[in-house]
Amino acid sequence: MNNTEISRIFEEVGDLLEIQGANSFRVRAYRMAARTIGDHPEQMADLFAANPRQLEEISGIGKDLAAKIKTILETSELPQLTELRLEVPAGVADMLRIDGMGPKKTAALWKELGILDLDMLKAACESGQVAGLKGFGEKTAKKILEGLAHVAESGMRHDLAEAKFLSDSIVDALQLVPGVHQVSAAGSVRRRKETIGDLDVLVTADDSTAAMDCLGTHPLVEKVLARGETKQRVRLRGGMEMDLRVVPAESYGAALQYFTGSKEHNIMTRRRAAEMGLKINEYGVFRGETSIAGRTEEEVYQAIGLPYIPPELREDRGEIQRAEKGTLPKLLELADMQGDLHMHTTATDGTASIREMIDAARQRGLKYIAITDHSKRVSMANGLDADRLRAHWKEIEVIRAEYTDIQVLRGIECDILEDATMDLPDDVLAEADWVIAVLHYGLKQPKDQIMARLMTAIRNPHVSVLGHLTGRYLGKRPRAPAAMDLKEVLKAAADHGVMIEINAHPSRLDIDDLGAAAARDLGIPIVISTDAHATTGFDVMQFGVFQARRAGLEARHVANAQEWTTFKSLLRSNR
DNA sequence: GCCGTTTTCGGCCCGACTGTTTTCAGTCG
C-alpha cells in the first residue's frame, strides 16, 4: 500500500464518519491525516519498516492512526472502513460531491427518503419528494438538480495555466472599474498550486455594487451563484467557480492573507494569534475589540511576530517555524533564469527551426540553451537515430558559431527504453553537450522495472539530467506517475552527479514541489526547463519557477539560474 | 482523533451567505 492508497482510505473513513454524524474534530483528524500522508515525501511503508515508532512522530498522526496505518500496511485493509461501508451504502457518500450538499443533508436524504445514489436523488428532486422534506424546500431541490448537472466537473481541478489566465482576465477587468482601488487574485492561484479547484479574487472598493456588477456581466461568467454585500460567487464558462470578496482598504492585508490560505496555514496563524491573546479574521488582527493590523499582509504577519511569508510557502509544511527562526528561503525569481535546457525543433516534433529557437531565446534574455530533440524510440515525433542526430548536431554547430551572446548546447532527449537500455549508444551520447534521460513508454511497468530503467540512466556517465521524472500528466486525461522509490532514485542521482528537472509545462510540473525539495536537500542541482516545442513555448518558464518557489528553492539551488560560466562547471562531462 | 512553555482533559479558526425558518442550521472556504 502506497501513501496515496492509505490517504484514500482515511479520506473515505472521514466522509463516512461525517455522514454518520461523528464528532467533527474526529472527522477532521482523518482528513488531516489523509492529506499529511498523501503529501508525505517518504512512504509510510518505508518509515514503518525502518522504525514503527516513526509514524507517531508525524504531526497529526497519533497512537490510534499509527496503529491503523500499521493494519493497512500489514493486511491491505482497514476493518473500520469495511464496517463503515456496511453501515453507509456505497452511493450515499457521492452526494457529498454535490455543491451545497454536506453531511447533514446527505444523511437526511438517505435516512428520511431512503436515497442511496445520485440517480435516486435526481428522481426524488424531480418528483417533489425532496422539496417536501423538513429542512428542505423548492429552492434546495432545484439547487441539487443543478448541482447534479455539474457534479462531474465540480470536483475537477484545472491546471494552473488555465486558472491563472481566467483569474488574470477578471482581475484586469476589475481594475478598470471606477471606485475599485486594489485588486488581487487570492486562493490557490496566488499560492501557485499546480492544479486549481476554484478561483478567489479580492478587491477594495468604496462600494461593492460596481465591482459585483462588473463580474456578474463579465463575458467569462456563465451564472451568478450567490451574491451578498461583500461576497459573490459565480460559475465561469468551462466550469470553474470564482469567489469575489469586497473588503474595506484597512482590511485589505488581512483579507488577502485570509483568502490566500491555505486553510491549514491559516489555522496555524490563527492558533498562534490566539496564543498571543490576539484574534485574526479577514478584517484584521484584533486585541479585544481593537484592530492592531490589517492594511497589509506584512502588518498581519508582523502582529504575530513573523516576517512576511511568500504565498507559495503557505501550506503548513514548516514555513511558520522557519519564519519564526528567520530561516525562510529567498525564493527563486523568474528574472533569475539564465538558460533553458530542454527544447525541440523541426528536426523532430517542434514547429520552429534551430535558428528561430535561438533567436526567441535571445529575445527573452536567455544566455544559454540546449537543443534537445527526441531520440528514435519516439517515432511518432520523428525521433532521431544516431546518424540523423549527428547531422543535426553539425547543423547546430554551424549556426551557433554565428552567435556571440548566447551559448547553444548540442543536446538530446534520450528515451530510457522498456528493457532498461538507452535509446542511443554510449559513443553517441558521449559526443553530446547535454543529455536528458526520460521515460516516455512503459510507464505502467512494475516498480522494479521502472527502477531498473532509472538506474540505467543514472549510472550512464553521459546522462546530465533526468527529465519529467515520474511521467505524470495533469491535463484533461490525467496520467498517474510511474511507480518508483523516489527517495532511492534521488539518492542515486545525488551519488552519480545527475541533475533533476522540473519540467515547466503546466500539465507536467514534474518533478513536483515536494520532490524538488527532497532533491535540493540531497544537494542535487535542479534544472527548470520549458520543453518548448515552439518559440512561444518558452513562456511556460514561469510555471516551472512557481513550482520551484513552492519547493522553497533559491536561485543557488537551480543550475540554470546560474551564470553560464558557473553552469558550465556543473556539467557532468567536466568531472 | 490529536495535542500540551497555563493543560493528559478539554479544547480544536472563523465569518458570509442561503434557505427555511420566525431565530437559525447547514455549507463553504
Side-chain angles (χ1 to χ4, degrees), chain A residues 49-71:
Chain A
N51 175 7
R53 298 198 60 84
Q54 277 192 72
L55 296 180
E56 271 183 66
E57 283 163 28
I58 301 169
S59 173
I61 310 285
K63 231 182 173 54
D64 186 278
L65 288 174
K68 284 175 174 150
I69 295 170
K70 174 173 185 275
T71 305

PDB file of all heavy atoms in Angstrom, chain A residues 49-71:
ATOM      1  N   ALA A  49       8.853   0.264   8.168  1.00  0.00           N
ATOM      2  CA  ALA A  49       9.853  -0.801   8.115  1.00  0.00           C
ATOM      3  C   ALA A  49      11.112  -0.396   8.880  1.00  0.00           C
ATOM      4  O   ALA A  49      11.715  -1.194   9.579  1.00  0.00           O
ATOM      5  CB  ALA A  49      10.182  -1.135   6.665  1.00  0.00           C
ATOM      6  N   ALA A  50      11.484   0.876   8.749  1.00  0.00           N
ATOM      7  CA  ALA A  50      12.699   1.346   9.412  1.00  0.00           C
ATOM      8  C   ALA A  50      12.511   1.393  10.932  1.00  0.00           C
ATOM      9  O   ALA A  50      13.375   0.945  11.685  1.00  0.00           O
ATOM     10  CB  ALA A  50      13.074   2.727   8.885  1.00  0.00           C
ATOM     11  N   ASN A  51      11.377   1.948  11.347  1.00  0.00           N
ATOM     12  CA  ASN A  51      11.106   2.044  12.775  1.00  0.00           C
ATOM     13  C   ASN A  51       9.626   2.381  12.976  1.00  0.00           C
ATOM     14  O   ASN A  51       9.213   3.504  12.722  1.00  0.00           O
ATOM     15  CB  ASN A  51      11.989   3.138  13.391  1.00  0.00           C
ATOM     16  CG  ASN A  51      11.664   3.360  14.860  1.00  0.00           C
ATOM     17  OD1 ASN A  51      10.872   2.622  15.454  1.00  0.00           O
ATOM     18  ND2 ASN A  51      12.265   4.382  15.433  1.00  0.00           N
ATOM     19  N   PRO A  52       8.835   1.404  13.444  1.00  0.00           N
ATOM     20  CA  PRO A  52       7.387   1.584  13.570  1.00  0.00           C
ATOM     21  C   PRO A  52       7.001   2.828  14.382  1.00  0.00           C
ATOM     22  O   PRO A  52       5.957   3.414  14.171  1.00  0.00           O
ATOM     23  CB  PRO A  52       6.936   0.310  14.290  1.00  0.00           C
ATOM     24  CG  PRO A  52       7.987  -0.697  13.971  1.00  0.00           C
ATOM     25  CD  PRO A  52       9.265   0.061  13.840  1.00  0.00           C
ATOM     26  N   ARG A  53       7.862   3.245  15.279  1.00  0.00           N
ATOM     27  CA  ARG A  53       7.529   4.379  16.131  1.00  0.00           C
ATOM     28  C   ARG A  53       7.553   5.708  15.373  1.00  0.00           C
ATOM     29  O   ARG A  53       6.989   6.703  15.818  1.00  0.00           O
ATOM     30  CB  ARG A  53       8.492   4.452  17.324  1.00  0.00           C
ATOM     31  CG  ARG A  53       8.424   3.229  18.214  1.00  0.00           C
ATOM     32  CD  ARG A  53       9.036   3.526  19.580  1.00  0.00           C
ATOM     33  NE  ARG A  53       8.330   4.611  20.257  1.00  0.00           N
ATOM     34  CZ  ARG A  53       7.224   4.424  20.972  1.00  0.00           C
ATOM     35  NH1 ARG A  53       6.706   3.228  21.081  1.00  0.00           N
ATOM     36  NH2 ARG A  53       6.649   5.449  21.575  1.00  0.00           N
ATOM     37  N   GLN A  54       8.238   5.713  14.232  1.00  0.00           N
ATOM     38  CA  GLN A  54       8.358   6.960  13.452  1.00  0.00           C
ATOM     39  C   GLN A  54       7.012   7.509  13.012  1.00  0.00           C
ATOM     40  O   GLN A  54       6.855   8.711  12.849  1.00  0.00           O
ATOM     41  CB  GLN A  54       9.197   6.709  12.191  1.00  0.00           C
ATOM     42  CG  GLN A  54      10.689   6.779  12.417  1.00  0.00           C
ATOM     43  CD  GLN A  54      11.432   6.804  11.103  1.00  0.00           C
ATOM     44  OE1 GLN A  54      11.416   7.796  10.386  1.00  0.00           O
ATOM     45  NE2 GLN A  54      12.066   5.710  10.759  1.00  0.00           N
ATOM     46  N   LEU A  55       6.036   6.601  12.793  1.00  0.00           N
ATOM     47  CA  LEU A  55       4.731   7.043  12.310  1.00  0.00           C
ATOM     48  C   LEU A  55       4.090   8.034  13.280  1.00  0.00           C
ATOM     49  O   LEU A  55       3.523   9.040  12.887  1.00  0.00           O
ATOM     50  CB  LEU A  55       3.801   5.846  12.096  1.00  0.00           C
ATOM     51  CG  LEU A  55       4.223   4.839  11.019  1.00  0.00           C
ATOM     52  CD1 LEU A  55       3.200   3.712  10.928  1.00  0.00           C
ATOM     53  CD2 LEU A  55       4.349   5.523   9.674  1.00  0.00           C
ATOM     54  N   GLU A  56       4.214   7.724  14.567  1.00  0.00           N
ATOM     55  CA  GLU A  56       3.588   8.565  15.589  1.00  0.00           C
ATOM     56  C   GLU A  56       4.250   9.929  15.694  1.00  0.00           C
ATOM     57  O   GLU A  56       3.686  10.856  16.261  1.00  0.00           O
ATOM     58  CB  GLU A  56       3.673   7.876  16.957  1.00  0.00           C
ATOM     59  CG  GLU A  56       2.498   6.981  17.247  1.00  0.00           C
ATOM     60  CD  GLU A  56       2.596   6.392  18.641  1.00  0.00           C
ATOM     61  OE1 GLU A  56       2.517   7.157  19.610  1.00  0.00           O
ATOM     62  OE2 GLU A  56       2.768   5.154  18.741  1.00  0.00           O
ATOM     63  N   GLU A  57       5.474  10.032  15.173  1.00  0.00           N
ATOM     64  CA  GLU A  57       6.167  11.312  15.262  1.00  0.00           C
ATOM     65  C   GLU A  57       5.683  12.307  14.209  1.00  0.00           C
ATOM     66  O   GLU A  57       5.960  13.493  14.282  1.00  0.00           O
ATOM     67  CB  GLU A  57       7.687  11.093  15.134  1.00  0.00           C
ATOM     68  CG  GLU A  57       8.288  10.565  16.421  1.00  0.00           C
ATOM     69  CD  GLU A  57       9.671   9.962  16.213  1.00  0.00           C
ATOM     70  OE1 GLU A  57      10.366  10.393  15.272  1.00  0.00           O
ATOM     71  OE2 GLU A  57      10.032   9.051  16.989  1.00  0.00           O
ATOM     72  N   ILE A  58       4.937  11.811  13.212  1.00  0.00           N
ATOM     73  CA  ILE A  58       4.386  12.705  12.202  1.00  0.00           C
ATOM     74  C   ILE A  58       3.271  13.526  12.832  1.00  0.00           C
ATOM     75  O   ILE A  58       2.402  12.976  13.514  1.00  0.00           O
ATOM     76  CB  ILE A  58       3.838  11.902  11.006  1.00  0.00           C
ATOM     77  CG1 ILE A  58       4.947  11.059  10.379  1.00  0.00           C
ATOM     78  CG2 ILE A  58       3.217  12.829   9.969  1.00  0.00           C
ATOM     79  CD1 ILE A  58       4.442  10.047   9.369  1.00  0.00           C
ATOM     80  N   SER A  59       3.313  14.826  12.613  1.00  0.00           N
ATOM     81  CA  SER A  59       2.318  15.706  13.208  1.00  0.00           C
ATOM     82  C   SER A  59       0.930  15.383  12.658  1.00  0.00           C
ATOM     83  O   SER A  59       0.735  15.315  11.443  1.00  0.00           O
ATOM     84  CB  SER A  59       2.685  17.156  12.918  1.00  0.00           C
ATOM     85  OG  SER A  59       1.659  18.000  13.350  1.00  0.00           O
ATOM     86  N   GLY A  60      -0.027  15.151  13.527  1.00  0.00           N
ATOM     87  CA  GLY A  60      -1.383  14.815  13.100  1.00  0.00           C
ATOM     88  C   GLY A  60      -1.648  13.322  13.114  1.00  0.00           C
ATOM     89  O   GLY A  60      -2.767  12.880  12.892  1.00  0.00           O
ATOM     90  N   ILE A  61      -0.588  12.535  13.322  1.00  0.00           N
ATOM     91  CA  ILE A  61      -0.742  11.079  13.453  1.00  0.00           C
ATOM     92  C   ILE A  61      -0.448  10.714  14.905  1.00  0.00           C
ATOM     93  O   ILE A  61       0.661  10.933  15.382  1.00  0.00           O
ATOM     94  CB  ILE A  61       0.254  10.309  12.540  1.00  0.00           C
ATOM     95  CG1 ILE A  61       0.218  10.813  11.116  1.00  0.00           C
ATOM     96  CG2 ILE A  61       0.001   8.800  12.635  1.00  0.00           C
ATOM     97  CD1 ILE A  61      -0.959  10.398  10.304  1.00  0.00           C
ATOM     98  N   GLY A  62      -1.432  10.201  15.586  1.00  0.00           N
ATOM     99  CA  GLY A  62      -1.241   9.788  16.974  1.00  0.00           C
ATOM    100  C   GLY A  62      -1.173   8.279  17.090  1.00  0.00           C
ATOM    101  O   GLY A  62      -1.011   7.571  16.091  1.00  0.00           O
ATOM    102  N   LYS A  63      -1.320   7.807  18.297  1.00  0.00           N
ATOM    103  CA  LYS A  63      -1.248   6.372  18.578  1.00  0.00           C
ATOM    104  C   LYS A  63      -2.270   5.599  17.745  1.00  0.00           C
ATOM    105  O   LYS A  63      -1.959   4.599  17.111  1.00  0.00           O
ATOM    106  CB  LYS A  63      -1.591   6.166  20.066  1.00  0.00           C
ATOM    107  CG  LYS A  63      -0.602   5.323  20.833  1.00  0.00           C
ATOM    108  CD  LYS A  63      -1.097   5.163  22.280  1.00  0.00           C
ATOM    109  CE  LYS A  63      -0.233   4.190  23.060  1.00  0.00           C
ATOM    110  NZ  LYS A  63       1.194   4.475  23.052  1.00  0.00           N
ATOM    111  N   ASP A  64      -3.494   6.112  17.749  1.00  0.00           N
ATOM    112  CA  ASP A  64      -4.587   5.420  17.087  1.00  0.00           C
ATOM    113  C   ASP A  64      -4.382   5.306  15.580  1.00  0.00           C
ATOM    114  O   ASP A  64      -4.457   4.218  15.002  1.00  0.00           O
ATOM    115  CB  ASP A  64      -5.888   6.179  17.387  1.00  0.00           C
ATOM    116  CG  ASP A  64      -7.097   5.438  16.851  1.00  0.00           C
ATOM    117  OD1 ASP A  64      -7.369   5.574  15.645  1.00  0.00           O
ATOM    118  OD2 ASP A  64      -7.740   4.723  17.623  1.00  0.00           O
ATOM    119  N   LEU A  65      -4.099   6.441  14.951  1.00  0.00           N
ATOM    120  CA  LEU A  65      -3.929   6.409  13.495  1.00  0.00           C
ATOM    121  C   LEU A  65      -2.670   5.652  13.090  1.00  0.00           C
ATOM    122  O   LEU A  65      -2.653   4.977  12.057  1.00  0.00           O
ATOM    123  CB  LEU A  65      -3.907   7.843  12.934  1.00  0.00           C
ATOM    124  CG  LEU A  65      -5.276   8.536  12.944  1.00  0.00           C
ATOM    125  CD1 LEU A  65      -5.166   9.982  12.526  1.00  0.00           C
ATOM    126  CD2 LEU A  65      -6.237   7.805  12.015  1.00  0.00           C
ATOM    127  N   ALA A  66      -1.635   5.734  13.906  1.00  0.00           N
ATOM    128  CA  ALA A  66      -0.420   4.968  13.611  1.00  0.00           C
ATOM    129  C   ALA A  66      -0.738   3.477  13.594  1.00  0.00           C
ATOM    130  O   ALA A  66      -0.287   2.736  12.714  1.00  0.00           O
ATOM    131  CB  ALA A  66       0.664   5.284  14.638  1.00  0.00           C
ATOM    132  N   ALA A  67      -1.563   3.061  14.560  1.00  0.00           N
ATOM    133  CA  ALA A  67      -1.949   1.646  14.607  1.00  0.00           C
ATOM    134  C   ALA A  67      -2.756   1.271  13.373  1.00  0.00           C
ATOM    135  O   ALA A  67      -2.619   0.179  12.826  1.00  0.00           O
ATOM    136  CB  ALA A  67      -2.756   1.369  15.884  1.00  0.00           C
ATOM    137  N   LYS A  68      -3.594   2.207  12.919  1.00  0.00           N
ATOM    138  CA  LYS A  68      -4.405   1.922  11.735  1.00  0.00           C
ATOM    139  C   LYS A  68      -3.544   1.849  10.475  1.00  0.00           C
ATOM    140  O   LYS A  68      -3.779   1.017   9.597  1.00  0.00           O
ATOM    141  CB  LYS A  68      -5.514   2.965  11.589  1.00  0.00           C
ATOM    142  CG  LYS A  68      -6.620   2.682  12.599  1.00  0.00           C
ATOM    143  CD  LYS A  68      -7.716   3.694  12.640  1.00  0.00           C
ATOM    144  CE  LYS A  68      -8.793   3.172  13.592  1.00  0.00           C
ATOM    145  NZ  LYS A  68      -9.529   4.235  14.258  1.00  0.00           N
ATOM    146  N   ILE A  69      -2.547   2.709  10.401  1.00  0.00           N
ATOM    147  CA  ILE A  69      -1.621   2.636   9.262  1.00  0.00           C
ATOM    148  C   ILE A  69      -0.925   1.268   9.257  1.00  0.00           C
ATOM    149  O   ILE A  69      -0.785   0.624   8.222  1.00  0.00           O
ATOM    150  CB  ILE A  69      -0.579   3.772   9.325  1.00  0.00           C
ATOM    151  CG1 ILE A  69      -1.271   5.126   9.158  1.00  0.00           C
ATOM    152  CG2 ILE A  69       0.497   3.588   8.260  1.00  0.00           C
ATOM    153  CD1 ILE A  69      -0.385   6.317   9.441  1.00  0.00           C
ATOM    154  N   LYS A  70      -0.519   0.852  10.437  1.00  0.00           N
ATOM    155  CA  LYS A  70       0.149  -0.447  10.577  1.00  0.00           C
ATOM    156  C   LYS A  70      -0.765  -1.563  10.051  1.00  0.00           C
ATOM    157  O   LYS A  70      -0.350  -2.416   9.264  1.00  0.00           O
ATOM    158  CB  LYS A  70       0.471  -0.679  12.054  1.00  0.00           C
ATOM    159  CG  LYS A  70       1.051  -2.042  12.404  1.00  0.00           C
ATOM    160  CD  LYS A  70       1.480  -2.051  13.880  1.00  0.00           C
ATOM    161  CE  LYS A  70       2.182  -3.342  14.275  1.00  0.00           C
ATOM    162  NZ  LYS A  70       1.265  -4.417  14.661  1.00  0.00           N
ATOM    163  N   THR A  71      -2.040  -1.520  10.462  1.00  0.00           N
ATOM    164  CA  THR A  71      -3.006  -2.520   9.998  1.00  0.00           C
ATOM    165  C   THR A  71      -3.131  -2.503   8.481  1.00  0.00           C
ATOM    166  O   THR A  71      -3.128  -3.560   7.836  1.00  0.00           O
ATOM    167  CB  THR A  71      -4.393  -2.241  10.626  1.00  0.00           C
ATOM    168  OG1 THR A  71      -4.240  -2.201  12.045  1.00  0.00           O
ATOM    169  CG2 THR A  71      -5.390  -3.307  10.239  1.00  0.00           C
TER     170      THR A  71
END
